[in-house]
Amino acid sequence: MRTYSEYGNTDKSQTYLNIIADKSTDKKSYRDAFTKLGEILGNKVLSDNSSGNDKILVACANEDADWLAKGFIKGLSRLNVKVAVFWNSRIEIQVGEEKLPIAPIQKMYIESDGNVDNLIIVKSIINTSCVVKTQLLRLLTKYNPKNILIIAPVMFKDAQNSLKKEFPADVFSKMKFYYLAEDDECQDGIVVPGIGGNVYERLGLENISVKNQYIPELIKERLK
């Protein structure tokens, strides 16, 4: 069953959520919907965190950079945002009788070497939380942010508890979650209705090997 956050319970949000959940949506419409969802979430974060002096680092996976993260940064309406982009793989390891998903970092692009007030992790969907956990652990070796914002259009119902188990109380207490929809059904590792399947395949990045060779336009534009 799907439930909506207060700011996800609008016609505009639900329209774009339905577009990405629909498996028949074409690549361009899917990408555009993620950009719009990012913008909605960026607007909400801006309204809640309006200080113009905060140093902001927006982190994302490379498959989210050109659509969800770009829309989110636009919604923030801030020119001084720094970005971090991670290329993660996904594997499972056997621990006793359980298979646990992990997301090793293959490479990364990080702009900011200074202080960060608001560390923002943007993810298309948060299910097992392994990608978010891996990115966050890496960034916390460099920064000691005042606030950690976890942003996703869709979250699985247990995602917050999964992250809570992975971090000390003083780190988890800094976290604030922004999402539009929460789903409680998962079939064969895929959240339903979720985002309509595997995000990088739906975005036209084929598979994880092709995805990890993709250099986002967001990075190219910022390096000019």
Side-chain angles (χ1 to χ4, degrees), residues 136-156:
L136 189 51
L137 284 171
R138 178 64 184 83
L139 291 167
L140 290 176
T141 67
K142 292 175 65 69
Y143 309 110
N144 183 25
K146 297 175 185 176
N147 305 295
I148 301 170
L149 309 183
I150 310 296
I151 313 294
V154 181
M155 292 183 66
F156 186 58

Side-chain angles (χ1 to χ4, degrees), residues 6-107:
E6 178 184 351
Y7 40 94
N9 194 24
T10 67
D11 289 343
K12 185 176 181 181
S13 294
Q14 291 182 26
T15 293
Y16 293 120
L17 287 168
N18 289 338
I19 288 172
I20 63 172
D22 185 348
K23 294 182 179 181
S24 68
T25 297
D26 64 87
K27 179 179 70 176
K28 184 181 184 306
S29 299
Y30 192 77
R31 291 176 170 186
D32 290 346
F34 263 117
T35 303
K36 294 296 186 183
L37 289 168
E39 198 169 343
I40 290 167
L41 287 161
N43 286 334
K44 175 58 181 173
V45 169
L46 178 65
S47 70
D48 287 356
N49 305 271
S50 57
S51 173
N53 298 319
D54 287 348
K55 295 181 178 178
I56 298 172
L57 179 66
V58 175
C60 64
N62 75 308
E63 66 267 26
D64 290 324
D66 281 342
W67 302 288
L68 179 64
K70 188 174 286 188
F72 178 80
I73 292 169
K74 180 181 178 182
L76 280 181
S77 301
R78 295 283 296 274
L79 298 177
N80 61 342
V81 171
K82 301 295 185 181
V83 303
V85 178
F86 293 89
W87 288 254
N88 293 86
S89 60
R90 292 291 297 269
I91 59 176
E92 289 184 336
I93 59 172
Q94 194 76 36
V95 179
E97 296 183 358
E98 269 191 279
K99 286 187 176 181
L100 297 180
I102 62 173
I105 296 169
Q106 302 301 310
K107 53 189 174 185

